[in-house]
């Protein structure tokens, strides 16, 4: 039982780290959509983030209203869990800017 709780907390910490890194990166492109296929070089400067952790982080950020996602091809709204990351682009929403500025507190994201 204790091992499962530790494992769950470790997974949340990894997802939380990925969310923090992605928000900081997306903040550089504030006001415009950023193609996720371009995220590799920027994220490689950080501690290695597994693809599954990045997807979990993006899903959390989208569901929490911090980012918007759409398809690259036809710019229709999309959900992170429905498409390959390479086919999507994201934009920082006002709540995401507030989170980065410290005006919103989220226990899973420490910008």
């Amino acid at each position: 039982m204790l091992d499962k709780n530790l494992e769950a907390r470790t997974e949340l910490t990894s997802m939380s780290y990925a969310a923090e890194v992605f928000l900081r990166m997306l903040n550089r492109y504030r006001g415009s959509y950023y193609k996720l296929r371009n995220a590799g070089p920027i994220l490689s400067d950080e501690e290695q983030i597994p693809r599954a952790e990045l997807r979990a982080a993006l899903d959390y950020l989208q569901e929490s209203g911090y980012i918007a996602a759409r398809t690259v091809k036809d710019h229709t709204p999309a959900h992170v869990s429905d498409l390959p990351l390479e086919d999507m682009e994201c934009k920082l929403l006002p709540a995401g800017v507030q989170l980065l500025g410290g005006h919103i507190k989220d226990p899973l994201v420490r910008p």
Side-chain angles (χ1 to χ4, degrees), residues 74-109:
D74 55 11
H75 302 295
T76 57
H79 196 279
V80 171
S81 62
D82 293 339
L83 297 169
L85 294 180
E86 294 80 16
D87 296 341
M88 297 189 334
E89 52 190 11
C90 290
K91 178 181 177 178
L92 193 62
L93 294 176
V97 174
Q98 292 173 356
L99 179 66
L100 285 170
H103 303 289
I104 295 176
K105 302 293 182 198
D106 188 309
L108 293 183
V109 184

Side-chain angles (χ1 to χ4, degrees), residues 9-58:
R9 276 187 274 152
T10 301
E11 287 175 10
L12 281 177
T13 302
S14 297
M15 188 275 305
S16 180
Y17 177 77
E20 293 167 25
V21 170
F22 186 77
L23 277 177
R24 286 195 311 266
M25 185 219 42
L26 201 57
N27 188 45
R28 296 177 183 173
Y29 301 93
R30 193 179 321 153
S32 61
Y33 278 87
Y34 179 78
K35 292 177 178 65
L36 294 181
R37 68 175 164 238
N38 297 334
I42 293 172
L43 294 177
S44 67
D45 292 340
E46 300 288 339
E47 185 176 307
Q48 193 67 3
I49 298 173
R51 190 172 189 78
E53 294 300 327
L54 179 59
R55 184 175 288 279
L58 293 175

